[in-house]
Amino acid sequence: MNHTAVQSKRNLLTYLGEKEWLIMFLWFGLAFIGAITEISRGNINNFLIFKNVFFHLIHQQPLYIEYPQEYYDVNLYGPVFSLVIAPFAGLETKVGALLWAMTGAGVLYYAIRQLPLNRLQQNIILLLCTQELMGASGWFQMNQFIGAFIILTFASIVKGKDMLAAFLIVLGTLTKIYGIVGLAFFFFSGNPRRLIGGLFLWGAILFAAPMLLSSPQYVVNSYFEWYGALVHKNALNEAVTTTFQNISAGGFIQRVLHLPALDNMYILVPAVLIFLSQYIRLPYRYNSRYRLYILCSVLMFPVLFSSSSESPTYIIAIPAICIWYVMQPATRANNIFLFFAILLVSFSHSDVVTPWVRKNLAVPYALKALPCLVLWLMIAWEIFTKQFLKKPAKPEAVPALAPAGQL
């Protein structure tokens, strides 16, 4: 592939990215199609779990047991989730499910728009994430919100809005534990004392808020029960009882190497050490490219290293691939990587690949995790070797975010 061909592929993305109406149509249109398709099939079990969290809480019923007369599976979100789902719980079920999915798409759209990138770069990110969003919307989970919370936490801290960042960290953590990774942006704060104070303030408020709809003792007991439910779920996931669970770095390694009994700690501990090593470049914490590299790493971390990762969880990770891509020069290697990353992450569980590939390779071997794992390690290496200080070769195609090395 010559330079002209490489540049033409980037120019195609640039051309599409300039079509604001197309971005909006694809983003919300595909989210609507993904949600309405599953609603028409009656596949709204996740939303049934969610809406009943609200009713179980106000009636002070256990939140983490099975209710086979209402839905299958169990709730795994914290008591605060009852407040998040409350506006949708009282609606007719199908209407509530559709609005929940579209709200998730809207919140993630807004979050991406808050990134410190130019409009074209944001548009390209949105364009490349649309397929994954469509799939995630049909699952009616909270992953779009969690991805948005992480991105908005980053954007809020960068903009000096520490109290808002603290609220998002606490809300994300007390609903689905993934939100805690927002603490990784602590060192980017210009007012760390305010951020810490906000964490305690919002922690107290959101911990107590569900008590207004139930009782203090019930909520406290629910948190203990939530912890037990998460421990039990993790044990089930690590046992690889289903190919649709543990689609993570650990699940990928276990399945490819045929090591189902491999202790996840052998993967998690090195991952944490590699992640922490990225902060060796904290002297560059005011460099916007370094900050965005850390954001990419943070978005992928909970997906890659959680045994609870499923296919729709990757709506949290896919923006990281796209953010990284728009910061890179238009090269053959980068375009090839993006192609295979989008193919494996967004299309490997769909009918775009042949059923044989999906059933015998993509799903059983958790291949969805592979490009994210490769990129996560690449980013760690690029941070360690200060690659973020290098401007793109074609600044007119991929504008630099800040003068390299600016502190």
Side-chain angles (χ1 to χ4, degrees), residues 86-360:
F88 308 90
L91 301 174
E92 192 277 328
T93 299
K94 293 182 179 179
V95 173
L98 180 60
L99 290 179
W100 170 254
M102 297 307 295
T103 302
V107 171
L108 185 55
Y109 176 89
Y110 175 78
I112 291 173
R113 286 299 187 201
Q114 303 313 302
L115 286 169
L117 297 166
N118 64 43
R119 191 76 174 184
L120 175 60
Q121 289 171 315
Q122 293 173 0
N123 286 349
I124 291 174
I125 293 167
L126 289 166
L127 181 66
L128 294 173
C129 291
T130 51
Q131 167 65 20
E132 190 66 21
L133 176 69
M134 181 173 69
S137 297
W139 285 79
F140 304 103
Q141 294 187 356
M142 197 182 175
N143 296 307
Q144 294 93 308
F145 291 89
I146 296 299
F149 290 169
I150 296 171
I151 294 172
L152 287 172
T153 297
F154 170 84
S156 298
I157 287 178
V158 168
K159 295 175 182 179
K161 300 178 180 179
D162 295 279
M163 291 300 290
L164 176 57
F167 170 76
L168 293 165
I169 291 171
V170 173
L171 180 61
T173 303
L174 295 184
T175 50
K176 185 172 183 175
I177 200 70
Y178 287 5
I180 199 171
V181 299
L183 291 172
F185 309 127
F186 175 83
F187 296 107
F188 299 156
S189 172
N191 194 334
R193 290 185 178 180
R194 180 185 298 173
L195 179 58
I196 294 172
L199 291 172
F200 281 102
L201 175 64
W202 286 116
I205 292 174
L206 292 180
F207 180 85
M211 298 177 186
L212 299 175
L213 302 178
S214 53
S215 72
Q217 187 62 48
Y218 169 81
V219 171
V220 171
N221 289 340
S222 292
Y223 275 104
F224 282 106
E225 293 168 0
W226 185 32
Y227 173 78
L230 292 177
V231 171
H232 177 67
K233 179 63 173 176
N234 181 67
L236 292 178
N237 293 338
E238 290 186 349
V240 197
T241 55
T242 170
T243 56
F244 293 99
Q245 291 285 336
N246 199 14
I247 303 178
S248 63
F252 169 75
I253 293 171
Q254 287 175 343
R255 298 174 197 186
V256 170
L257 299 181
H258 301 287
L259 297 172
L262 179 66
D263 190 335
N264 195 50
M265 293 304 292
Y266 288 113
I267 299 166
L268 183 59
V269 171
V272 170
L273 294 176
I274 292 172
F275 181 81
L276 293 177
S277 72
Q278 296 171 102
Y279 288 91
I280 197 173
R281 299 305 178 196
L282 267 182
Y284 297 94
R285 62 186 176 275
Y286 297 116
N287 179 281
S288 57
R289 292 176 65 83
Y290 171 70
R291 288 175 168 181
L292 285 167
Y293 270 50
I294 292 292
L295 172 61
C296 293
S297 182
V298 170
L299 283 168
M300 289 186 284
F301 188 90
V303 180
L304 279 173
F305 303 107
S306 168
S307 63
S308 294
S309 292
E310 305 172 293
S311 178
T313 314
Y314 278 78
I315 191 60
I316 301 173
I318 192 69
I321 296 174
C322 304
I323 293 169
W324 174 85
Y325 177 73
V326 298
M327 290 193 291
Q328 306 309 308
T331 66
R332 177 173 60 182
N334 289 336
N335 285 341
I336 290 175
F337 178 81
L338 178 73
F339 174 79
F340 283 103
I342 297 296
L343 179 65
L344 288 178
V345 173
S346 295
F347 292 95
S348 62
H349 284 228
S350 72
D351 291 330
V352 171
V353 299
T354 65
W356 186 93
V357 172
R358 185 177 68 251
K359 294 178 182 178
N360 295 280

Side-chain angles (χ1 to χ4, degrees), residues 274 277-278 297 375-385:
I274 292 172
S277 72
Q278 296 171 102
S297 182
L375 180 58
W376 187 78
L377 292 171
M378 285 171 53
I379 286 175
W381 175 254
E382 290 178 0
I383 288 176
F384 184 77
T385 57

